[in-house]
Amino acid sequence: MEKLYIAYGSNLNLAQMASRCPSASIYAKGVLNNWALVYRGSKTNSHATIIRKQNSTVPVLIWNIKPEDEYQLDIYEEYPNYYFKKNIMVTIEGKKKKAMVYIMNENQLPGKPSEQYVKTILQGYLDNDMDIDILKKSLEVNSSECTKYLSDI
């Protein structure tokens, strides 16, 4: 049985998804309203996740995935230890639809994503003709979050 899966980070990258989940197919592009793209994990190796934030949006790609794709994604996302799964509403061409998304466990702290990881996400934005300014803004916020986090220690 197929399921809709929302990608907002490295799984926007078409080559990466083709390799990881060969039977997955693109369903649509969409947007998460009142969510923000942030980076959490360790100080020097964090990953993308989303948090609730009023008046923020995150561009997403919605995939049709099969059980074997979800199994591969579970491994990649280190489910359930690093990310958990949640069904949320995504807006596609003005209409809301429920789909599954991976969200990082909330106990993870801000950290800097690796350059290669950011390049993978950037390629996904380019692959899908998404607004790169949203990605740039998320990285600027991350930089200030990391500076604040380190000064609070």
Side-chain angles (χ1 to χ4, degrees):
M1 188 171 111
E2 291 196 348
K3 174 187 275 194
L4 293 180
Y5 155 64
I6 301 167
Y8 53 79
S10 65
N11 289 332
L12 295 171
N13 185 300
L14 300 183
Q16 177 172 288
M17 273 298 281
S19 156
R20 179 170 299 123
C21 301
S23 62
S25 61
I26 295 172
Y27 177 79
K29 284 196 322 186
V31 66
L32 296 178
N33 291 311
N34 298 314
W35 289 89
L37 181 63
V38 297
Y39 305 88
R40 301 287 185 263
S42 69
K43 281 185 216 172
T44 57
N45 187 29
S46 67
H47 299 97
T49 191
I50 52 174
I51 59 169
R52 290 302 237 155
K53 186 174 181 197
Q54 284 297 107
N55 303 317
S56 286
T57 59
V58 178
V60 296
L61 193 61
I62 300 98
W63 293 90
N64 255 322
I65 60 169
K66 295 183 174 164
E68 57 269 26
D69 300 316
E70 186 171 356
Y71 175 76
Q72 291 303 320
L73 289 168
D74 284 351
I75 292 168
Y76 177 70
E77 305 293 356
E78 297 180 43
Y79 167 82
N81 300 318
Y82 197 44
Y83 285 84
F84 63 91
K85 295 184 220 183
K86 185 173 182 161
N87 287 317
I88 63 172
M89 299 307 282
V90 59
T91 303
I92 304 167
E93 294 178 0
K95 295 186 172 84
K96 291 188 184 296
K97 189 143 185 92
K98 191 178 281 191
M100 183 270 289
V101 68
Y102 290 89
I103 300 175
M104 194 178 294
N105 294 322
E106 279 103 1
N107 60 348
Q108 300 291 331
L109 297 170
K112 184 174 170 42
S114 74
E115 190 176 324
Q116 184 56 48
Y117 183 71
V118 171
K119 283 181 181 175
T120 301
I121 297 172
L122 174 60
Q123 186 58 56
Y125 270 68
L126 296 171
D127 289 347
N128 296 292
D129 195 28
M130 294 175 166
D131 184 356
I132 294 170
D133 286 342
I134 294 173
L135 177 60
K136 287 179 181 174
K137 176 79 173 142
S138 74
L139 292 165
E140 288 167 12
V141 168
N142 173 256
S143 183
S144 65
E145 270 189 330
C146 289
T147 302
K148 181 185 178 330
Y149 169 62
L150 292 173
S151 69
D152 289 346
I153 296 177

